Amino acid sequence: MERLVRWYSVCLLGTLVFTSWAAAERVLLVPGVARVTGNNNTAWRSDAVFHNPTAAAQTVEIELLPRGSAAVAAQASLPLAPGETRSVENLYEFLHAADGAGMLRLTGDVVSWVRTYNRGAAGSFGQDLAAVAPGEGWNAGEVLVFPFAKPADTTREFRSNLLLVNLDTVTVTVTMRAGGIEKTKTVDPGTYAQIDNLGAFLGAPVGFGAVRLWATGRWFGVMSTVDPYTGDPTTVRGLPPAAGGERLYAGVAKVTGTNQTV
């Protein structure tokens, strides 16, 4: 199989930042889509943008796998003309799917962006969703480090949710270690699991910490840290425990924006 070629683009649509993946393989898994009511009166929704970069007509097959299941609950085909870009608002409505949370399986030679967000009276607050090809991810025993927030009060302090994807053909066990605390989570093949409020699951002290993760098989994971007041989620990607060298973070600011934002 060809290795997935990844490229990143930043596009400002209000406060929205997308991460795009150019498909050299035909299949991508995107965990974290939803149409569900969350904590603090939040309403989770997911949208997508699909682009055909080729000179031939393409079709993207969109399948929804509910959280914890490898069975397809809903699916649809979306044809794209050469060079066409299509926006799909509210993926669950487009797929005629029941409310819930799940993972998309996208098949087709197209470029895709997927966003999950909360919509409120003042607008929407959202995050880009990290995608992975079934043949990629991290190997058994490979360690990643994620920062997380443990709130004393989820209505007033940030919380972190952990999404885990099993890319192997057998059940894998994911080990999580924070300080002297160690917990495990089993994930069935072809499924993804979510641990809400990871800090509470671990029994970690209140505040911010870091957790090391590894698994018994091939896996993928991403963290979502949520603002308690706005329901604004931030996608947090793991790093190797000894990631050295220089890193550049473009886009930090202290500035007044449009519509009375700061």
Side-chain angles (χ1 to χ4, degrees), residues 3 6 136-146 173-175 212-221 238-241:
R3 189 166 180 82
R6 293 182 252 186
E136 291 211 331
W138 302 307
N139 295 322
E142 189 171 356
V143 178
L144 272 291
V145 179
F146 293 84
T173 298
V174 180
T175 300
R212 292 187 175 214
L213 277 73
W214 64 93
T216 57
R218 198 154 40 83
W219 66 290
F220 178 73
L239 293 174

Side-chain angles (χ1 to χ4, degrees), residues 25-71:
E25 289 183 316
R26 286 185 55 81
V27 181
L28 285 178
L29 301 173
V30 188
V33 294
R35 183 175 65 182
V36 66
T37 300
N39 293 342
N40 305 333
N41 301 313
T42 53
W44 295 92
R45 299 290 185 270
S46 296
D47 297 346
V49 174
F50 300 100
H51 171 66
N52 177 6
T54 75
Q58 301 286 345
T59 296
V60 57
E61 301 292 340
I62 307 170
E63 298 174 304
L64 175 65
L65 284 64
R67 185 188 299 172
S69 174

Side-chain angles (χ1 to χ4, degrees), residues 8 16-18 27 55 64-66 68 74 83 88 95 97 148 162 201 208 243:
Y8 298 90
L16 171 61
V17 179
F18 280 124
V27 181
L64 175 65
L65 284 64
V88 176
L95 292 168
F148 69 94
L162 176 64
F201 173 81
F208 284 88

Side-chain angles (χ1 to χ4, degrees), residues 61-65 72-78 94-97 105:
E61 301 292 340
I62 307 170
E63 298 174 304
L64 175 65
L65 284 64
V72 176
Q75 62 187 84
S77 298
L78 184 68
F94 174 79
L95 292 168
H96 305 289
R105 183 164 60 207

